Amino acid sequence: MSQVLICTPDKDLSQCVVGTRIVQLDRRREILRDEAGVVAKFGIKPQSIPDFLAVVGDTADGFPGLPGWA
C-alpha cells in the first residue's frame, strides 16, 4: 500500500487526510498527522475541517468566523 504525503502546514488541507493512507506533513514543525492526529489537534474528523474553519474563522484566509466561537 502506498501512502500519499501532503507537505504543507496549511490547516485547510487537513480535510484531505484519510486514515493513515493520506497524511499531512507540517514541514515547519516537522509533524506528521494522520486522521487520528487531525482529530487530536482540532477535535474533529478531517472531513469537518471546512465547517470548523467557517465557524471559528481562519485569519490566514481572511475569514473572521462567527463572534464568540474562536
Side-chain angles (χ1 to χ4, degrees):
M1 176 173 94
S2 296
Q3 187 176 54
V4 177
L5 184 62
I6 302 169
C7 298
T8 180
D10 189 343
K11 59 186 166 257
D12 293 334
L13 288 174
S14 296
Q15 67 184 298
C16 299
V17 173
V18 178
T20 58
R21 169 98 165 90
I22 303 173
V23 296
Q24 182 179 18
L25 174 64
D26 181 336
R27 297 171 296 155
R28 292 183 188 156
R29 294 180 185 89
E30 296 184 5
I31 299 171
L32 185 66
R33 286 193 185 91
D34 58 8
E35 189 165 336
V38 172
V39 171
K41 178 168 177 64
F42 297 105
I44 56 169
K45 292 196 172 263
Q47 61 266 32
S48 296
I49 291 290
D51 297 326
F52 172 77
L53 293 176
V55 171
V56 300
D58 187 358
T59 56
D61 290 333
F63 295 113
L66 298 176
W69 283 84

